[in-house]
């Protein structure tokens, strides 16, 4: 009873904050996205080290940290190319991480949809966000058109089966992607459709009875990620003139190693 009440309070807080941020200036939307994706969402990747065999951890950390630094450098030197790579890698990751029993069509629709559905009703806002990467107006217009079309198709492919199955979690995630502004919608959709379910799966796989035990296990990685982000902001982005680009850069640096490095070592562990 207490746990159920806590979950309902958590959802109410999430949606209340998302709704409030939607009517606020971009700075507050960025703050919401930073907390939702960078802190709450990051918890599901904080257990990456725990799924690696002890004798492989030095090599794992070396590859992980190297890719993090490389992401910072690429974003600094070629941001227009860095964002498409990040979005594509994210879509592939979301697709692969979905349970196989979901079927390849739903997995693909969900993976692509998390990235593209926010552009369905917010083409202008999405274009504005992507413009901070330095993309040319022509390539940006083409990208938004493609995202808009794919987003509509993915929303239909996910929403209708979920409605038939009365899958309220999926319905809520898709509606969040559709109707909240892009940063807010992606943050909430990412949490509902990917981060929170994967955190739950990792917690159970690691034998943690509750999320308190899970956080006790993963707090060193969480703290390390926060320190890395603070150092990057202080030394790499001291002018803080482009907060959207800074957020994208940090998300890439924190997420891409989780997307690319961890599966290699996690697969070895499972084998």
């Amino acid at each position: 009873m207490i746990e159920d009440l806590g979950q309902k309070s958590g959802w109410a807080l999430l949606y209340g904050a998302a709704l409030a941020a939607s009517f606020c200036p971009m700075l507050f939307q960025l703050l919401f996205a930073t907390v939702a994706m960078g802190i709450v969402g990051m918890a599901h990747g904080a257990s990456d080290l725990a799924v690696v065999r002890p004798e492989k951890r030095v090599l794992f950390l070396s590859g992980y940290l190297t890719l993090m630094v490389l992401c910072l450098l690429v974003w600094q030197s070629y941001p227009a190319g860095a964002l498409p790579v990040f979005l594509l890698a994210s879509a592939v990751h979301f697709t692969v991480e979905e349970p196989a029993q979901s079927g390849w069509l739903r997995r693909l629709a969900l993976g692509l949809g998390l990235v593209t559905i926010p552009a369905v009703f917010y083409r202008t806002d999405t274009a504005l966000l992507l413009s901070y990467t330095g993309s040319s107006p022509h390539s940006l217009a083409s990208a938004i058109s493609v995202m808009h079309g794919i987003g509509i198709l993915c929303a239909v492919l996910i929403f209708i089966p979920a409605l038939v199955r009365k899958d309220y979690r999926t319905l809520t995630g898709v509606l969040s992607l559709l109707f909240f502004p892009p940063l807010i919608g992606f943050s909430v959709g990412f949490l509902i459709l990917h981060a929170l379910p994967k955190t739950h799966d990792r917690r159970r796989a690691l034998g943690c009875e509750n999320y308190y035990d899970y956080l006790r296990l993963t707090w060193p990685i969480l703290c390390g990620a926060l320190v890395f982000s603070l150092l990057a902001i202080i030394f790499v982005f001291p002018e803080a003139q482009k907060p959207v680009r800074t957020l994208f850069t940090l998300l890439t640096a924190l997420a891409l190693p989780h997307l690319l490095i961890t599966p290699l070592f996690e697969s070895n562990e499972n084998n």
Side-chain angles (χ1 to χ4, degrees):
M1 182 70 178
I2 295 177
E3 183 177 355
D4 184 57
L5 181 62
Q7 289 180 351
K8 291 180 179 178
S9 300
W11 287 117
L13 179 62
L14 173 64
Y15 276 100
L19 186 61
S22 298
F23 294 97
C24 292
M26 178 59 69
L27 181 62
F28 291 93
Q29 295 187 30
L30 278 167
L31 180 61
F32 175 87
T34 300
V35 174
M37 290 188 285
I39 298 179
V40 179
M42 191 169 60
H44 85 289
S47 58
D48 284 355
L49 189 62
V51 300
V52 178
R53 292 199 301 264
E55 66 270 19
K56 296 285 187 179
R57 288 178 179 174
V58 173
L59 182 61
F60 169 78
L61 286 174
S62 300
Y64 213 91
L65 293 173
T66 299
L67 187 53
M68 290 173 76
V69 173
L70 183 61
C71 288
L72 295 181
L73 295 176
V74 172
W75 262 103
Q76 285 295 94
S77 59
Y78 188 43
L83 183 61
V85 171
F86 170 60
L87 294 178
L88 181 60
S90 298
V92 171
H93 173 70
F94 296 146
T95 301
V96 172
E97 286 284 288
E98 271 295 289
Q101 58 266 31
S102 299
W104 70 268
L105 187 60
R106 183 187 184 279
R107 296 173 70 193
L108 183 61
L110 185 65
L112 291 173
L114 272 166
V115 176
T116 59
I117 291 176
V120 171
F121 292 139
Y122 289 94
R123 292 184 63 161
T124 302
D125 298 72
T126 303
L128 178 62
L129 286 175
L130 299 185
S131 69
Y132 290 108
T133 66
S135 301
S136 68
H138 176 71
S139 61
L140 191 57
S142 300
I144 293 299
S145 296
V146 172
M147 290 177 68
H148 182 259
I150 294 176
I152 293 175
L153 180 60
C154 290
V156 172
L157 290 174
I158 301 171
F159 191 85
I160 293 178
L163 188 62
V164 172
R165 297 193 311 269
K166 296 183 179 180
D167 182 354
Y168 298 114
R169 179 181 67 86
T170 300
L171 290 173
T172 303
V174 174
L175 291 174
S176 299
L177 289 167
L178 281 170
F179 294 110
F180 281 126
L183 269 180
I184 307 297
F186 176 76
S187 300
V188 177
F190 166 73
L191 288 177
I192 293 175
L193 298 174
H194 182 73
L196 295 178
K198 290 305 170 185
T199 302
H200 175 74
D201 292 344
R202 276 282 182 90
R203 176 180 68 83
R204 296 185 62 182
L206 293 172
C208 298
E209 294 185 3
N210 50 55
Y211 286 102
Y212 175 74
D213 291 339
Y214 179 81
L215 290 175
R216 282 200 341 180
L217 177 68
T218 60
W219 73 264
I221 303 299
L222 278 172
C223 292
L226 292 174
V227 170
F228 173 85
S229 300
L230 290 174
L231 291 176
I233 292 172
I234 293 171
F235 294 106
V236 181
F237 313 104
E239 73 285 350
Q241 293 176 350
K242 298 180 179 179
V244 174
R245 180 172 155 182
T246 301
L247 175 63
F248 283 154
T249 304
L250 291 176
L251 286 176
T252 305
L254 293 171
L256 213 57
H258 171 69
L259 309 183
L260 301 179
I261 302 297
T262 303
L264 300 176
F265 288 85
E266 187 175 16
S267 176
N268 291 337
E269 172 71 7
N270 291 336
N271 290 336

